[in-house]
Amino acid sequence: MITYKQFNLSDCLNSLIVADEYVARLYGIAGDNVYLLPRGEQAKTFAETENLCKWFLSKNLGRNGRVVAVGGGSVGDVTGFACSIYKRGNVNLTHVPTTLIAQIDSAVGGKTAVNLDGVKNAVGTFFDADTLIDIGFLQTLDNRQILSGCGELLKYRMLCTNIDKVYCGKITEDVIRACVDYKLSLCQVDMYDLSSRRALNFGHTVGHAMELSCNLPHGIAVANGLYYETLLAHKLGMCSKAYFTKWSAEAAKLTDILPVNKEILKLVTADKKNIGNLICFVLPNDFRQTILSLEQVISLLCCG
């Protein structure tokens, strides 16, 4: 269930709260029922998952108990993963996303994940959860975090013309609702990412590789990924030059587009969507799965 309302910490007195250290300080989240994670991708490890599950045990979290994850995508990912395996998933989880990326994307749809051996989101589960969206949290984000969120928003604008129409250069509740509604429409018919939901991976194959290799915020990496995957589609004759020109300019408004090389592109071989040694992309305009070899990708993106 998705709820749009102001988050009230007093509503969580009978729940266990998981937040990262930065979010906890920023919003005054403290107490015996609060567990603090490291900030960002450092939280997404098996070690942190194990520690969180041990804390659940120490707090006697029982079946049908409630956990509230307050924070960005990393908090939601690792807390969701822990809840999905603790007591075989017989606990309730509410996401309270505090970043733009989490509100429009990662806190919706039930995906959980941790990283493994330098591969982003290599291990994870699907776990249904509630989400409470309070757009007031966005007022505390700095410009870099907003731009990162706009990178993920750009994906939605390219996927859905209605979202692009609603977006007028401003982040409003209507924009967030449009993104959430669109994602839910895909997840309701394809919860486990087997068909139509794969469209949401657009920009993320190259994007994840750049996130890891260039140490970029997730949404900025996605903006780069959208640029290169649209360029890939153009070179394959899947979209027009006008389409590429329009959307590449939108990506460039958000961030400098960094160059890719063979070493960066080799990282796409670890993408979880791949089939054997072949790389699976979701490319415009139809956003269906396109399968390429690594050699083809390097040739198309590194050779002019």
Side-chain angles (χ1 to χ4, degrees):
M1 181 175 67
I2 310 294
T3 304
Y4 296 86
K5 68 176 185 178
Q6 185 175 0
F7 173 63
N8 192 333
L9 195 58
S10 64
D11 293 337
C12 303
L13 296 177
N14 296 319
S15 302
L16 297 181
I17 301 173
V18 182
D20 71 39
E21 298 160 341
Y22 174 79
V23 166
R25 287 196 304 272
L26 189 61
Y27 299 111
I29 301 172
D32 291 339
N33 66 329
V34 176
Y35 185 92
L36 299 183
L37 289 167
R39 192 179 185 189
E41 294 293 310
Q42 296 178 46
K44 293 174 57 172
T45 67
F46 275 111
E48 289 296 340
T49 303
E50 180 181 8
N51 289 337
L52 185 52
C53 287
K54 286 179 177 178
W55 184 71
F56 289 163
L57 274 176
S58 73
K59 294 297 181 181
N60 296 315
L61 178 65
R63 290 190 170 197
N64 298 318
R66 173 73 56 180
V67 178
V68 180
V70 185
S74 295
V75 171
D77 278 350
V78 71
T79 305
F81 183 56
C83 287
S84 75
I85 59 177
Y86 177 80
K87 296 198 174 180
R88 296 179 177 168
N90 287 301
V91 295
N92 298 302
L93 173 63
T94 297
H95 289 295
V96 182
T98 59
T99 65
L100 179 56
I101 285 181
Q103 291 192 359
I104 65 174
D105 191 72
S106 63
V108 179
K111 281 187 177 181
T112 80
V114 294
N115 304 332
L116 181 65
D117 288 344
V119 178
K120 186 175 173 67
N121 299 339
V123 179
T125 58
F126 292 88
F127 185 71
D128 195 28
D130 296 327
T131 303
L132 186 159
I133 296 177
D134 178 356
I135 64 169
F137 282 118
L138 304 185
Q139 297 176 8
T140 65
L141 301 183
D142 59 31
N143 188 58
R144 191 166 187 249
Q145 291 172 311
I146 291 292
L147 286 176
S148 183
C150 286
E152 196 75 51
L153 175 59
L154 179 59
K155 174 193 75 176
Y156 281 99
R157 291 171 57 202
M158 295 179 72
L159 288 172
C160 178
T161 56
N162 180 58
I163 294 173
D164 192 41
K165 290 177 181 177
V166 173
Y167 176 73
C168 298
K170 295 182 180 180
I171 307 302
T172 65
E173 185 171 313
D174 286 342
V175 171
I176 293 169
R177 284 178 179 267
C179 291
V180 170
D181 289 347
Y182 176 75
K183 183 168 187 178
L184 286 177
S185 72
L186 297 181
C187 295
Q188 285 167 354
V189 297
D190 182 25
M191 175 66 179
Y192 298 108
D193 214 7
L194 301 175
S195 56
S196 57
R197 182 173 177 169
R198 288 179 178 174
L200 297 169
N201 293 316
F202 176 41
H204 284 62
T205 301
V206 174
H208 279 166
M210 297 189 74
E211 183 176 357
L212 293 170
S213 60
C214 304
N215 193 30
L216 297 175
H218 177 73
I220 296 301
V222 167
N224 276 266
L226 292 169
Y227 173 89
Y228 281 110
E229 292 181 24
T230 305
L231 175 60
L232 200 57
H234 175 50
K235 290 192 172 186
L236 290 168
M238 298 172 64
C239 69
S240 67
K241 183 177 180 180
Y243 182 95
F244 169 70
T245 300
K246 173 186 176 180
W247 291 111
S248 62
E250 290 294 318
K253 287 179 184 177
L254 300 177
T255 179
D256 293 333
I257 303 300
L258 301 180
V260 293
N261 54 40
K262 292 181 181 179
E263 295 307 310
I264 292 174
L265 292 175
K266 284 178 182 178
L267 294 176
V268 303
T269 60
D271 193 279
K272 57 186 177 296
K273 301 184 296 297
N274 293 344
I275 300 173
N277 294 323
L278 296 176
I279 316 302
C280 296
F281 289 92
V282 175
L283 300 178
N285 262 330
D286 61 4
F287 300 105
R288 294 177 183 173
Q289 186 165 272
T290 300
I291 299 175
L292 301 170
S293 68
L294 177 61
E295 291 73 21
Q296 286 176 296
V297 176
I298 290 173
S299 175
L300 289 165
L301 295 183
C302 293
C303 301

